[in-house]
Every structure is written in C-alpha cells, then in structure tokens.
Amino acid sequence: MNFRNMILALSAMTASVGIAAGFEAGKGVANDLATGANQRDVTFVERGGNNSYGWQSYDIVLGVTVLPWSIPNEESSVYGLRLNLGWGAYVDTYGLDAGLFSNCSRDFGGIAANFCGNLVGGTMGGIQVGAVNVVHGPAYGLQIAFVNFAEDLHGVQIGALNFNNSGLRCFPIINIGF
C-alpha cells in the first residue's frame, strides 16, 4: 500500500468515526426527541398551509380527482364542477359532482352523480345518485342508491336499503324523513 492510499484510508476511517459520533441519540438526528436545544438537532416546523400537510387550501371552480389525488389538493373546496376519475377528496363541494366516487370531508350542496358512491362528512343538501350514499350529518334532499345512509334525514331516500337515525331507522325501497 503506498503512502497516498494509506492517507485516503485513514481519512475515510476518521470521517466515518466522526459521522458516527455525530449521530448519537438526539444529536444531529431527526427524531421525535429533537428539541432544538442542540445546534445539530433537526426539528420539524409547521409549513405555510396551517394544516397537517402544510398545503395551502384553495376555493376553486373546477376540481379534478385522478385516482387518489385531488387537484389542487384535498384541503380545497370546489364551487362549480368537480370531476372524479378516482376516489380523491375535497373539504366542501357546491355544484355538480360527477365521476366514480365522491368524498367531501365537510359539506356538499348540489348534484352528485358518482358511479360507486358519495361520502359526505357533514351536511348534504341536494341530490345524490350512486351505488352507495353516506352522509354523516343531516341530509336535505334526495338520495338514490342501492344503499343509502343519512345521520339525520330531511328528505327522501330511494334504494334497496335505506338507513337513517331519525324516523324509520331502516326501510326498503323508499324512506322519508322530516
């Protein structure tokens, strides 16, 4: 081994020992215990969107879902037309919602015609048509599907099985709530 190779090997060993020493628990490592007290701690800061993903939310006229991805993002609300080429989600949707599967984490108002179904986490006002319709809050309007569910029905459900927690809890073919 010549002198140059010996210096390179010694330098590599010194560097690896130094790197290993720097990665002691809580020093220079991104972990749950990083507090920022050590200069080399990596701490995670909240990003600009004020939500768990750091995304900015938008109020948009046209929303497009391709498989599980919502454009612009699932923290946004659609006021107009929403096209679902998959099963993505938005916060609110008001207007026409059409495609395969619709998921609104909060409220929906308008017409939802989705082949597989519609899921609303809050209030629904309007018409839902699909294989399965689920509303986790009050539903005002019409639900048409093989299976319909509304937490609090103020309208009509038409389907093989119709569920709601007000009035007749389960009723086939047609169910009416006030």
Side-chain angles (χ1 to χ4, degrees):
M1 186 186 241
N2 64 23
F3 182 71
R4 180 175 174 251
N5 288 343
M6 193 177 347
I7 296 295
L8 287 174
L10 192 55
S11 297
M13 286 187 343
T14 304
S16 63
V17 168
I19 290 171
F23 284 107
E24 285 180 40
K27 293 183 180 175
V29 173
N31 62 31
D32 293 337
L33 303 174
T35 61
N38 184 327
Q39 266 185 314
R40 293 183 291 178
D41 277 352
V42 177
T43 57
F44 296 97
V45 295
E46 190 172 325
R47 294 187 286 171
N50 294 328
N51 53 55
S52 60
Y53 301 106
W55 292 341
Q56 179 68 37
S57 63
Y58 299 95
D59 292 340
I60 56 176
V61 176
L62 174 65
V64 178
T65 300
V66 179
L67 297 177
W69 302 287
S70 300
I71 301 167
N73 61 50
E74 62 190 49
E75 298 292 329
S76 299
S77 296
V78 177
Y79 297 90
L81 176 63
R82 177 176 168 190
L83 300 174
N84 303 305
L85 307 172
W87 56 87
Y90 287 105
V91 175
D92 298 313
T93 301
Y94 296 97
L96 178 62
D97 185 357
L100 292 177
F101 182 78
S102 172
N103 181 0
C104 293
S105 61
R106 202 168 44 202
D107 298 329
F108 173 81
I111 299 172
N114 288 284
F115 183 74
C116 294
N118 303 286
L119 173 63
V120 176
T123 302
M124 186 281 289
I127 300 171
Q128 287 182 319
V129 178
V132 177
N133 295 319
V134 176
V135 179
H136 290 288
Y140 300 92
L142 175 65
Q143 289 183 311
I144 301 171
F146 183 70
V147 176
N148 293 300
F149 173 81
E151 188 69 33
D152 184 20
L153 179 63
H154 301 276
V156 178
Q157 294 174 319
I158 299 173
L161 293 173
N162 301 299
F163 301 94
N164 73 73
N165 289 334
S166 61
L168 296 172
R169 299 221 183 251
C170 177
F171 206 77
I173 312 303
I174 190 165
N175 198 357
I176 299 172
F178 299 101

